Amino acid sequence: MAQSSALVALRYRDFRLLWAGQAISTLGTQIQTVALAWLVYDLTGSAAQLGGVGLARAIPTMVLSLFGGTLADRRDRRQLLIISETILAVFSALLAIAVSAGVDSILLIDAFAALTAAASSIESPTSQAFIPALVPRDILAKALTLDVLMSDTMAVVGPAIGGVVIAALGASAAFWLDAASFFAVVGSLVVIRTRVAAPKVDGHPIRSLVNGIIFVRERGILWQLMLLDFLAVFFISPTGLLPVFAEKILLLGPAGLGLLYAAPSAGAVIGAAVIALVPTPRHPGRMVVLSIAGYAVVLGCFGLSSWLIPSLIFLGLGGGLDAVSMTMRHVVQQLATPDELRGRVGALHDVFSAGGPRLGDFQAGLVASAVGAPGAMLAGGLACLAVVATARTWAPQLWSYSGEDLPLHSVTQPARLAND
């Protein structure tokens, strides 16, 4: 934590390899995200169907993530990552084949979304739990910040590339690129030298899962972070409505849709870079709350905009504010969690952070069908602000947290954990 620059984490070979491999894989995933949204809207012209894809992703994420996290705490995390990344590559290749052959029904797309979410419910918590093994604890915060910065950078480049690829070569080419990108991270995992034995967790897997939930419940700052994040992105999640704004309001094609997807990530890169270069705020919990309030305001303004440049600015500001809160959440989560529970805590985080925006896409699609996309964004922003306004009452530990490192075993674990 004493190191001032996040780049210090790149001095460690294995983290550097994984970081580079995940950068390429994330780039492919971002290209796929744009292609999937464009394909759905091109097939159906329905905002509700876009929300349906979000629901297809949300259900497996919320149901299976805790089981994936439990698995990550009981098996070799490196091997689990290799297997899950390979499965994701196969799913993308199968979708590319189907779309190339002209088999591109909404049922197929929903099935693909659900299957990839199921595989990601293992990959994501395992990846979160694996990173702390690659760097010393005193620079873990910087490594996590660099990871967020990489993800946000690829989310800028990926949609821009995706829009061009769709316009020039079609959606199937985007899915082929996504499938190929997974082998970069698989390759990095193969050559990583770090070998960490699977955590020694005894007892039934269901008991392990329950004990992970108990731990989060009793460490207040963790569940308060997760709940605030969930509510914020549930009420105002613009991603699922971007094809509607591109087609009906801003009058853009697929390349313009790529710009809309890239704008939040461009702002997020700036936000994450600022966090990487400056000292940790004295009250990071308050920073989370305030950044989410700003996020709600600027995305509500985006919903009211009918011009491209202001729309891109509002989306960029929203992305920057989201990156600030995301970085703070990841750092606190890792510092507050013992290694033997990192998979389960990361999985519970995924239930909130991944399930929230996907359910948010679903509700936004339904609301937009009734009152239009601009009305849905404005209503979501007001609801998000209402949540933030009450946060000091229901999230006091989050509000008062002063940035201190939390020792891994600073909280007395519940008695049931002794049997885990």
Side-chain angles (χ1 to χ4, degrees):
M1 294 291 290
Q3 300 282 359
S4 61
S5 173
L7 296 178
V8 68
L10 294 179
R11 296 177 185 173
Y12 296 86
R13 173 187 179 273
D14 286 353
F15 174 76
R16 185 169 66 248
L17 287 171
L18 181 64
W19 184 82
Q22 287 184 326
I24 296 172
S25 176
T26 303
L27 176 66
T29 299
Q30 292 297 330
I31 292 172
Q32 175 245 92
T33 298
V34 177
L36 201 68
W38 183 259
L39 187 60
V40 169
Y41 198 65
D42 187 53
L43 285 172
T44 67
S46 168
Q49 289 288 2
L50 287 168
V53 174
L55 184 62
R57 285 173 167 160
I59 292 174
T61 298
M62 301 186 74
V63 172
L64 299 177
S65 283
L66 284 174
F67 293 97
T70 302
L71 190 63
D73 283 339
R74 300 174 70 91
R75 296 290 184 268
D76 185 309
R77 291 165 179 168
R78 175 178 160 273
Q79 291 180 0
L80 278 178
L81 283 173
I82 292 173
I83 293 170
S84 57
E85 298 283 1
T86 301
I87 291 172
L88 286 166
V90 170
F91 286 156
S92 286
L94 290 175
L95 182 62
I97 292 170
V99 174
S100 298
V103 182
D104 49 5
S105 68
I106 190 64
L107 181 62
L108 175 67
I109 294 170
D110 285 342
F112 169 79
L115 289 171
T116 54
S120 295
S121 71
I122 297 175
E123 184 274 337
S124 181
T126 305
S127 179
Q128 291 181 52
F130 188 55
I131 289 176
L134 305 181
V135 296
R137 176 177 168 80
D138 63 339
I139 65 165
L140 177 58
K142 297 303 181 184
L144 295 172
T145 300
L146 197 62
D147 194 55
V148 171
L149 181 60
M150 172 273 291
S151 179
D152 290 334
T153 302
M154 293 304 103
V156 175
V157 178
I161 294 176
V164 174
V165 169
I166 297 167
L169 302 174
S172 62
F175 299 129
W176 279 119
L177 286 174
D178 180 44
S181 72
F182 284 106
F183 291 99
V185 70
V186 170
S188 71
L189 289 163
V190 169
V191 300
I192 280 175
R193 295 171 185 163
T194 300
R195 296 293 184 271
V196 181
K200 294 181 180 179
V201 180
D202 300 320
H204 195 278
I206 297 299
R207 177 177 292 177
S208 296
L209 186 154
V210 171
N211 285 337
I213 298 174
I214 291 170
F215 175 79
V216 171
R217 185 195 67 191
E218 297 199 359
R219 183 159 285 188
I221 194 170
L222 290 179
W223 69 258
Q224 290 166 17
L225 280 168
M226 293 177 188
L227 183 59
L228 181 61
D229 178 39
F230 174 85
L231 292 174
V233 294
F234 172 76
F235 283 123
I236 185 161
S237 180
T239 307
L241 295 179
L242 290 183
V244 182
F245 279 94
E247 180 84 5
K248 301 294 185 181
I249 296 171
L250 301 175
L251 306 179
L252 306 170
L257 176 62
L259 289 176
L260 294 182
Y261 273 107
S265 300
V269 170
I270 297 172
V274 170
I275 291 296
L277 296 174
V278 302
T280 302
R282 179 175 175 79
H283 295 285
R286 295 182 192 180
M287 182 64 70
V288 171
V289 176
L290 294 174
S291 62
I292 289 176
Y295 175 82
V297 170
V298 297
L299 289 186
C301 291
F302 163 74
L304 298 177
S305 173
S306 57
W307 294 280
L308 177 60
I309 298 302
S311 296
L312 294 176
I313 291 173
F314 289 133
L315 287 172
L317 289 172
L321 291 164
D322 184 51
V324 172
S325 68
M326 182 189 302
T327 302
M328 294 296 100
R329 293 196 311 268
H330 278 285
V331 169
V332 172
Q333 173 191 318
Q334 294 291 1
L335 293 176
T337 306
D339 184 66
E340 63 269 21
L341 283 157
R342 279 195 171 116
R344 282 165 283 178
V345 172
L348 193 59
H349 175 268
D350 283 348
V351 170
F352 285 85
S353 67
R358 288 168 182 172
L359 286 177
D361 286 345
F362 178 64
Q363 71 84 16
L366 292 180
V367 174
S369 296
V371 301
M377 292 298 298
L378 182 59
L382 293 174
C384 185
L385 283 175
V387 170
V388 171
T390 61
R392 191 166 185 175
T393 299
W394 62 264
Q397 290 175 277
L398 173 61
W399 185 263
S400 64
Y401 180 62
S402 60
E404 70 274 12
D405 290 347
L406 298 178
L408 290 180
H409 296 283
S410 64
V411 172
T412 300
Q413 296 179 16
R416 280 163 287 187
L417 283 176
N419 298 320
D420 193 6

